[in-house]
Amino acid sequence: MARSRPIIFDCDGVLVDSEPLAARAYERVYDKHGMPGVNTGIIAQCIGMKQSDIIAKIGDLTGHQFPATADGDIWAETKVLFSQELKPTLGITAFLATLVGDRCVASSSSVERINHSLAVTGLARFFGDAIYSSSMVKNGKPAPDIFLFAADKMDSNPADCIVIEDSPFGIQGAVAAGMTAIGYTGGGHTYAEHSARLTAAGADFVCADWHDVSRQLSRLGVPA
Protein backbone atom coordinates (compact mmCIF):
# COMPACT_ATOMS: atom_id res chain seq x y z
CA MET A 1 0.00 0.00 0.00
CA ALA A 2 1.30 3.46 -0.95
CA ARG A 3 2.50 5.50 1.98
CA SER A 4 3.41 9.10 2.47
CA ARG A 5 7.10 9.99 2.67
CA PRO A 6 8.37 13.54 3.13
CA ILE A 7 9.43 15.18 -0.12
CA ILE A 8 12.15 17.83 0.02
CA PHE A 9 12.19 20.12 -3.01
CA ASP A 10 15.01 22.31 -4.15
CA CYS A 11 13.60 25.63 -5.38
CA ASP A 12 15.67 27.07 -8.24
CA GLY A 13 15.52 24.90 -11.33
CA VAL A 14 13.10 22.44 -9.70
CA LEU A 15 10.04 24.37 -8.55
CA VAL A 16 10.76 27.52 -10.53
CA ASP A 17 12.58 27.93 -13.84
CA SER A 18 14.92 30.52 -12.43
CA GLU A 19 18.46 29.53 -13.37
CA PRO A 20 18.61 31.28 -16.79
CA LEU A 21 17.28 34.47 -15.20
CA ALA A 22 19.68 34.24 -12.26
CA ALA A 23 22.61 33.77 -14.65
CA ARG A 24 21.53 36.88 -16.56
CA ALA A 25 21.38 38.83 -13.29
CA TYR A 26 24.91 37.82 -12.30
CA GLU A 27 26.24 38.75 -15.73
CA ARG A 28 24.57 42.17 -15.60
CA VAL A 29 25.77 42.96 -12.09
CA TYR A 30 29.36 41.89 -12.71
CA ASP A 31 29.38 43.95 -15.93
CA LYS A 32 28.04 46.92 -13.97
CA HIS A 33 31.00 46.63 -11.61
CA GLY A 34 33.52 46.41 -14.45
CA MET A 35 34.00 42.66 -14.33
CA PRO A 36 33.01 41.22 -17.73
CA GLY A 37 32.99 37.59 -18.81
CA VAL A 38 30.70 36.15 -16.14
CA ASN A 39 28.57 34.28 -18.67
CA THR A 40 26.18 31.34 -18.49
CA GLY A 41 29.06 28.89 -18.80
CA ILE A 42 30.64 30.29 -15.65
CA ILE A 43 27.36 30.38 -13.73
CA ALA A 44 26.53 26.83 -14.80
CA GLN A 45 29.44 25.66 -12.66
CA CYS A 46 27.89 27.34 -9.61
CA ILE A 47 24.30 26.04 -9.77
CA GLY A 48 23.17 24.69 -6.43
CA MET A 49 25.46 26.89 -4.34
CA LYS A 50 24.47 29.71 -2.00
CA GLN A 51 25.34 33.25 -3.09
CA SER A 52 28.52 33.63 -1.03
CA ASP A 53 29.87 30.38 -2.44
CA ILE A 54 28.89 31.42 -5.99
CA ILE A 55 30.82 34.68 -5.61
CA ALA A 56 33.84 32.75 -4.33
CA LYS A 57 33.59 30.25 -7.21
CA ILE A 58 33.33 33.04 -9.80
CA GLY A 59 36.44 34.54 -8.23
CA ASP A 60 38.27 31.23 -8.62
CA LEU A 61 37.18 30.87 -12.24
CA THR A 62 37.66 34.44 -13.43
CA GLY A 63 39.86 36.24 -10.93
CA HIS A 64 37.09 38.79 -10.33
CA GLN A 65 36.84 39.89 -6.70
CA PHE A 66 33.29 41.09 -6.22
CA PRO A 67 33.01 43.86 -3.59
CA ALA A 68 31.28 42.64 -0.44
CA THR A 69 29.55 45.99 -0.11
CA ALA A 70 27.71 45.30 -3.38
CA ASP A 71 26.27 41.89 -2.47
CA GLY A 72 22.78 43.36 -2.38
CA ASP A 73 23.04 44.37 -6.05
CA ILE A 74 22.80 40.72 -7.10
CA TRP A 75 19.48 40.11 -5.40
CA ALA A 76 18.14 43.51 -6.51
CA GLU A 77 18.79 42.68 -10.19
CA THR A 78 17.55 39.11 -9.75
CA LYS A 79 14.34 40.29 -8.10
CA VAL A 80 13.53 42.59 -11.01
CA LEU A 81 13.96 39.76 -13.51
CA PHE A 82 12.01 37.30 -11.37
CA SER A 83 9.13 39.76 -10.92
CA GLN A 84 8.93 40.25 -14.68
CA GLU A 85 9.65 36.81 -16.10
CA LEU A 86 9.83 33.96 -13.56
CA LYS A 87 7.62 30.94 -14.26
CA PRO A 88 7.09 27.62 -12.48
CA THR A 89 8.71 24.61 -14.11
CA LEU A 90 6.40 22.96 -16.61
CA GLY A 91 3.86 20.70 -14.88
CA ILE A 92 4.89 21.40 -11.28
CA THR A 93 1.63 23.14 -10.30
CA ALA A 94 -0.48 20.14 -11.26
CA PHE A 95 2.02 17.80 -9.61
CA LEU A 96 1.89 19.67 -6.29
CA ALA A 97 -1.90 19.93 -6.42
CA THR A 98 -2.21 16.14 -6.22
CA LEU A 99 0.82 15.37 -4.05
CA VAL A 100 -0.07 13.66 -0.77
CA GLY A 101 1.92 14.05 2.44
CA ASP A 102 4.53 16.30 3.97
CA ARG A 103 6.72 18.44 1.79
CA CYS A 104 9.12 21.35 2.18
CA VAL A 105 11.58 23.51 0.29
CA ALA A 106 15.31 23.27 1.06
CA SER A 107 17.22 25.76 -1.05
CA SER A 108 20.61 27.44 -1.23
CA SER A 109 18.85 30.75 -1.87
CA SER A 110 17.94 33.28 0.80
CA VAL A 111 14.56 33.04 2.51
CA GLU A 112 13.53 36.31 0.81
CA ARG A 113 14.40 34.98 -2.63
CA ILE A 114 12.64 31.65 -2.03
CA ASN A 115 9.49 33.36 -0.79
CA HIS A 116 9.50 35.83 -3.70
CA SER A 117 10.00 33.02 -6.22
CA LEU A 118 7.13 30.98 -4.80
CA ALA A 119 4.87 34.03 -4.54
CA VAL A 120 5.28 35.26 -8.12
CA THR A 121 4.80 31.74 -9.52
CA GLY A 122 1.77 30.92 -7.37
CA LEU A 123 3.47 28.00 -5.62
CA ALA A 124 3.65 29.44 -2.09
CA ARG A 125 0.27 27.92 -1.16
CA PHE A 126 1.71 24.41 -1.45
CA PHE A 127 4.39 24.88 1.24
CA GLY A 128 3.18 27.27 3.91
CA ASP A 129 5.98 27.93 6.39
CA ALA A 130 8.00 24.84 5.39
CA ILE A 131 10.72 26.93 3.75
CA TYR A 132 14.35 26.24 4.67
CA SER A 133 17.43 28.06 3.42
CA SER A 134 21.13 27.29 3.56
CA SER A 135 21.42 30.56 5.49
CA MET A 136 19.92 28.60 8.41
CA VAL A 137 22.78 26.08 8.59
CA LYS A 138 26.56 26.14 8.80
CA ASN A 139 27.48 24.61 5.47
CA GLY A 140 25.79 24.94 2.09
CA LYS A 141 25.32 22.19 -0.51
CA PRO A 142 27.04 19.80 -1.25
CA ALA A 143 27.16 19.39 2.54
CA PRO A 144 24.07 17.58 3.91
CA ASP A 145 23.29 20.27 6.51
CA ILE A 146 20.21 21.82 4.88
CA PHE A 147 18.62 18.42 4.19
CA LEU A 148 19.19 17.15 7.72
CA PHE A 149 17.82 20.44 9.05
CA ALA A 150 14.69 20.06 6.90
CA ALA A 151 14.17 16.46 8.03
CA ASP A 152 14.44 17.54 11.65
CA LYS A 153 11.94 20.34 11.11
CA MET A 154 9.49 17.84 9.60
CA ASP A 155 10.17 15.40 12.47
CA SER A 156 11.22 12.81 9.90
CA ASN A 157 13.88 10.14 9.66
CA PRO A 158 16.37 11.20 6.94
CA ALA A 159 16.21 7.72 5.42
CA ASP A 160 12.49 8.22 4.78
CA CYS A 161 12.97 11.53 2.96
CA ILE A 162 13.05 11.95 -0.81
CA VAL A 163 14.94 14.89 -2.28
CA ILE A 164 14.29 16.35 -5.75
CA GLU A 165 17.29 18.31 -7.02
CA ASP A 166 18.57 19.67 -10.31
CA SER A 167 22.23 20.19 -9.39
CA PRO A 168 25.05 17.73 -8.73
CA PHE A 169 25.86 19.67 -5.54
CA GLY A 170 22.30 19.17 -4.30
CA ILE A 171 22.31 15.48 -5.18
CA GLN A 172 25.60 15.03 -3.34
CA GLY A 173 24.13 16.72 -0.28
CA ALA A 174 21.03 14.51 -0.35
CA VAL A 175 23.13 11.36 -0.66
CA ALA A 176 25.36 12.51 2.20
CA ALA A 177 22.22 13.00 4.29
CA GLY A 178 21.21 9.39 3.64
CA MET A 179 18.15 10.31 1.61
CA THR A 180 16.71 9.03 -1.66
CA ALA A 181 17.78 11.47 -4.39
CA ILE A 182 15.83 12.19 -7.57
CA GLY A 183 17.58 14.27 -10.20
CA TYR A 184 15.43 16.67 -12.23
CA THR A 185 16.38 17.94 -15.69
CA GLY A 186 13.19 19.74 -16.72
CA GLY A 187 14.43 23.30 -16.16
CA GLY A 188 15.42 25.76 -18.87
CA HIS A 189 19.09 25.46 -17.90
CA THR A 190 19.39 21.74 -18.67
CA TYR A 191 22.25 20.60 -20.93
CA ALA A 192 23.45 17.49 -22.75
CA GLU A 193 25.44 16.05 -19.84
CA HIS A 194 22.96 17.05 -17.13
CA SER A 195 21.44 13.62 -16.53
CA ALA A 196 24.82 11.88 -16.55
CA ARG A 197 26.24 14.34 -14.03
CA LEU A 198 23.29 13.91 -11.68
CA THR A 199 23.68 10.14 -11.91
CA ALA A 200 27.41 10.42 -11.25
CA ALA A 201 26.64 12.56 -8.20
CA GLY A 202 24.55 9.70 -6.81
CA ALA A 203 20.98 10.26 -8.00
CA ASP A 204 18.82 7.16 -7.61
CA PHE A 205 16.71 8.28 -10.57
CA VAL A 206 16.84 11.14 -13.06
CA CYS A 207 13.58 12.56 -14.43
CA ALA A 208 13.04 15.00 -17.28
CA ASP A 209 9.49 16.01 -16.31
CA TRP A 210 6.97 15.82 -13.48
CA HIS A 211 5.07 12.91 -15.02
CA ASP A 212 8.26 10.88 -14.80
CA VAL A 213 8.78 12.04 -11.19
CA SER A 214 5.28 10.76 -10.38
CA ARG A 215 6.11 7.40 -11.93
CA GLN A 216 9.31 7.07 -9.93
CA LEU A 217 7.58 8.05 -6.70
CA SER A 218 4.96 5.38 -7.35
CA ARG A 219 7.75 2.82 -7.72
CA LEU A 220 9.01 3.97 -4.32
CA GLY A 221 5.56 3.37 -2.86
CA VAL A 222 4.70 7.05 -2.60
CA PRO A 223 1.31 8.36 -3.78
CA ALA A 224 1.84 11.22 -6.23
Side-chain angles (χ1 to χ4, degrees), residues 2 25 41 47 52 60 79 127 129 134-135 143 146 169 195 198 200 214:
I47 289 174
S52 60
D60 291 341
K79 187 174 183 180
F127 295 98
D129 295 330
S134 288
S135 63
I146 184 61
F169 290 127
S195 179
L198 295 176
S214 292

Side-chain angles (χ1 to χ4, degrees), residues 73-93:
D73 290 0
I74 296 172
W75 168 233
E77 183 66 34
T78 305
K79 187 174 183 180
V80 169
L81 289 171
F82 280 14
S83 297
Q84 295 171 343
E85 302 182 39
L86 187 62
K87 304 294 182 187
T89 55
L90 186 64
I92 186 59
T93 304

Side-chain angles (χ1 to χ4, degrees), residues 60-156:
D60 291 341
L61 294 170
T62 66
H64 293 324
Q65 298 303 311
F66 194 78
T69 54
D71 281 1
D73 290 0
I74 296 172
W75 168 233
E77 183 66 34
T78 305
K79 187 174 183 180
V80 169
L81 289 171
F82 280 14
S83 297
Q84 295 171 343
E85 302 182 39
L86 187 62
K87 304 294 182 187
T89 55
L90 186 64
I92 186 59
T93 304
F95 175 87
L96 291 172
T98 59
L99 182 65
V100 176
D102 292 338
R103 82 289 301 269
C104 74
V105 179
S107 170
S108 295
S109 293
S110 67
V111 174
E112 181 181 3
R113 173 169 157 168
I114 300 167
N115 284 330
H116 184 72
S117 297
L118 297 180
V120 299
T121 56
L123 300 180
R125 61 194 169 99
F126 295 113
F127 295 98
D129 295 330
I131 306 293
Y132 310 119
S133 163
S134 288
S135 63
M136 299 173 176
V137 296
K138 181 178 180 181
N139 301 301
K141 303 171 187 178
D145 301 28
I146 184 61
F147 298 117
L148 295 173
F149 181 81
D152 181 66
K153 288 292 186 181
M154 292 192 293
D155 195 26
S156 300

Side-chain angles (χ1 to χ4, degrees), residues 143-188:
D145 301 28
I146 184 61
F147 298 117
L148 295 173
F149 181 81
D152 181 66
K153 288 292 186 181
M154 292 192 293
D155 195 26
S156 300
N157 186 329
D160 289 332
C161 295
I162 299 169
V163 175
I164 304 177
E165 269 280 359
D166 68 308
S167 76
F169 290 127
I171 293 293
Q172 288 168 11
V175 171
M179 299 177 179
T180 299
I182 296 179
Y184 177 74
T185 61

